[in-house]
Amino acid sequence: MTPGKRGRRHVAAVVSGQLIGQLSLLSVIPILSRTYDPATFGAFQIAASLAMMIQPLATLRTEFILPSVTHDENARGLYIRGVLMVLAVAAVTTLAAAILALSSGMQPAQIAAMCALQTTALAITVLDNARLIRAGSETRLAIRNGLAGALTAVLQLVCASLTLDIWLLAVSVLAGRGLAILLTSIGSPRWNRNDVGDESRGYGIRRITPSVLAGVAASATGQTLTVTSGMTLGPSASGYVGVSQRIAGAPITLVGQSLSQLTQSRSSALIRASRPGLGRQVRRQMLVLSGISASVALVLTVLAPPLAVPILGKGWEAAGIVTAVLAFPISFQLLVGPLMPLLPMLGRERRLLSLQLTRLGLVLAAVVIARVLDADLLGTTVCFGAATLLGYLYTVVVLIVEADRYDRQHPQELDGNN
């Protein structure tokens, strides 16, 4: 098999695995929305949003660095550091849930407990995925992507069919992802304990701090609307926004997560070998994905409002409107999301932090403006969407500039090697 055919086979495998996993999760949303009302489901969505904000701290963002580490033993040490941090964060968030149960009532404690479960699930998954990406195990990664989504969906379907408490949906997320990792770890590549040496870009506290802060800021940017709408407009608003973001972001997630994994795999190989060609890779990927994201956003804008009730059930009408408003802003994530790991791999954590703080500042300003204007959920969503678009456009510029900067620093054999 030629290298080109092998590469296409790996791309198809990773994308197919992601499709299976994400479609499985999407398929249970209409059942969940008919089992749990918007206010109840809103608590789950708030916990999920908080988990996404905490996850960068839980892994110390080592999932971005691990694929580009040259030596096996160094990568192993980085991986272990990440796992230990995940366990520490899980312990702290679980303790917080217990304290809230004693001091603030069961609902805040339940949200904290669901946050702890989902944070752990997200963190262990991205860490072990990074290990597989570094090893070039695309087929195993594809199987894991599919299994994680399918197993989680089945467990959540059981919860809905038995009308179990909402916090068990979070248990399903951890159990589904954990089982997928266990099943796909059998016979996976082992670390070469003798492969140790100096790294050109060590990952110490001076790189960890801005990288983690950037990750928290990025997650906070995406989850601001879910959390703040629940605080100002009630838990039902968080339910509408959370489901809308899952629907509007689903097509992007279907393609984007697998592309992110593939981008890390290919770019890390370039960076480890100090080869040029990053700028061309970034531009090519953005050009192809811009048409896809615009097409998907247009379809969602037109179809989401009339299909909200038939798909989600009575009482979810507002979710269709919110989905239509968020369709284009969220679609821009497909252009930049898969490429964001490039900045940490290039040692540009401070630039990444500056970028993410700028994006967070834009959406927070938009939410404040909406509150000053006493806007309803629709008005708040419009303000948030406009700020999100501006933030993504700025991100596109930053990624192109940094990729070109890398190529200027590694000009040798640009045409011959790429």
Side-chain angles (χ1 to χ4, degrees), residues 3 6 19-20 68 70 80 85 108 126 128 137 178 190 245 247 251 266 269 277-278 283 391 407:
R6 188 179 301 111
L19 283 171
I20 292 170
S68 62
T70 303
I80 291 174
M85 189 64 183
V126 297
D128 217 54
S137 301
R190 302 296 179 185
Q245 287 186 316
I247 294 173
R266 293 177 175 180
L278 207 55
R283 286 181 172 83
D407 285 341

Side-chain angles (χ1 to χ4, degrees), residues 40-110:
T40 302
F41 201 69
F44 175 78
Q45 290 299 146
I46 290 173
S49 296
L50 293 173
M52 292 180 192
M53 294 182 194
I54 296 172
Q55 184 262 307
L57 173 63
T59 61
L60 298 177
R61 235 33 179 170
T62 53
E63 70 272 19
F64 283 175
I65 306 301
L66 193 60
S68 62
V69 174
T70 303
H71 300 283
D72 247 22
E73 182 62 14
N74 297 343
R76 175 179 173 274
L78 194 62
Y79 178 82
I80 291 174
R81 185 198 303 177
V83 171
L84 291 175
M85 189 64 183
V86 172
L87 295 175
V89 170
V92 170
T93 48
T94 301
L95 178 61
I99 293 173
L100 286 171
L102 295 173
S103 62
S104 302
M106 289 310 297
Q107 187 177 39
Q110 188 180 60

